[in-house]
Amino acid sequence: MHAIRWVLVGWFLWPAFAASQVVQPVPILATVDTVQMPAWLERDGRIQALAVGAEVSNGDKIRTGPQARVYLELAEGSGVKLGENAVLMVYSRSLKPTRNFKGALDVMTGAFRLTTPAVQRPNSQRDIAIRIGTATAAPVVNSGATDLWGKADALRDLILLIDGNIEVRHSGASFGMTEALSYFSAPRNAPPVALTRVDPVSFKSWARETEALAGDGAAQRGGKWKVLLARVGQQSEALEVYDKARNAGYAAQVRVRPVGAGAPQKGGQWNYEVMLAQLASEQDAVAVASKIKAQLGFDAVLAQ
């Protein structure tokens, strides 16, 4: 069993997990670059709010909520984007994924986009398979840049090739896709649809499903805006707000500040501020504050 204790680091209160045994380090397969909340990370049966900078390991599951987006950077340099109400599982046994990434991305539901760079890192190898519902797409090894979009939902599984060269597998069959802006569709309870070229209106609509645009409410690495959820005088009150926010998929943190000038002596008073940080812009912070008010009932405001 793991016990949770709280420690003061700088002026922030952080949860620390005390384990009965030493946990061996595991390879980091991806890092979270952008989160348009709500979103969660599930690992070893534990669920926590997904935060910017979070590290993703083998077997981790990422889940997004309504109007959410998540951007990941894989260890070998590729970019992954998730749309709302999506579930993604990441698998790889690579011991050094920055140099030799061999793994699978399982898109259980929702919209997804993978973009691989044209030039791999020196002395590195990339071998990625993406399962989108009942279909699997894999960029052809050493074929240059690849950009593909896919979605699994109640109607069908769909793979759209934006650019590059991929191999698709479905129902025991395998075929290549090389024509840009063509897609493969596998409807539920119906035969697969032959490769079709996407029309501009549909392409714009589909691509938007995985994009976090300015003002949508995204947090990202380097973001400087904050939203204050609550300012209270008791740690227990702060943790109640913190838990409610994080359970709802908002990666809140607690900042501890002394009341008055200077650090208080023993027995002095503190303010506990529960906030969301790293919002990309003032417009993003305003959007998040509005969402928090509507969903959680907190009187969220922009903070310094």
Side-chain angles (χ1 to χ4, degrees), residues 89-214:
M89 293 197 71
V90 182
Y91 300 99
S92 176
R93 296 292 185 181
S94 301
L95 297 179
K96 296 182 178 179
T98 57
R99 301 179 65 181
N100 184 10
F101 191 103
K102 184 175 183 179
L105 307 176
D106 187 355
V107 185
M108 304 173 70
T109 187
F112 166 95
R113 186 168 181 172
L114 171 73
T115 305
T116 66
V119 180
Q120 295 182 203
R121 293 172 178 172
N123 302 317
S124 67
Q125 293 182 327
R126 178 195 305 127
D127 186 358
I128 304 174
I130 306 98
R131 187 171 72 178
I132 303 170
T134 60
T136 300
V140 175
V141 177
N142 299 324
S143 63
T146 302
D147 193 355
L148 67 90
W149 188 96
K151 186 176 183 180
D153 60 22
L155 299 178
R156 61 183 177 177
D157 301 322
L158 185 147
I159 297 172
L160 165 67
L161 178 65
I162 300 173
D163 191 23
N165 184 359
I166 63 174
E167 181 181 357
V168 175
R169 296 187 295 274
H170 181 267
S171 298
S174 178
F175 56 92
M177 290 181 63
T178 58
E179 183 181 357
L181 300 181
S182 62
Y183 69 91
F184 167 78
S185 177
R188 301 285 180 246
N189 303 315
V193 177
L195 293 183
T196 307
R197 187 170 178 83
V198 67
D199 63 89
V201 174
S202 294
F203 175 70
K204 184 177 180 180
S205 174
W206 294 353
R208 178 67 175 94
E209 292 186 42
T210 52
E211 292 299 315
L213 301 185

Side-chain angles (χ1 to χ4, degrees), residues 4 11 42 57 94 111 132 138 152 155 158 161-162 180 186 205 214 222 228 235 257 260 266 268 280 286 291:
I4 300 177
W11 293 119
E42 182 174 342
S57 302
S94 301
I132 303 170
L155 299 178
L158 185 147
L161 178 65
I162 300 173
S205 174
L228 179 68
Q235 178 178 312
R257 282 187 165 180
K266 183 178 180 181
V286 169
K291 186 183 290 188

Side-chain angles (χ1 to χ4, degrees), residues 43 56 93 173 289:
R43 175 182 295 161
V56 180
R93 296 292 185 181

Side-chain angles (χ1 to χ4, degrees), residues 289-301:
S290 177
K291 186 183 290 188
I292 287 286
K293 289 178 183 179
Q295 293 185 5
L296 303 181
F298 299 139
D299 190 18
V301 295

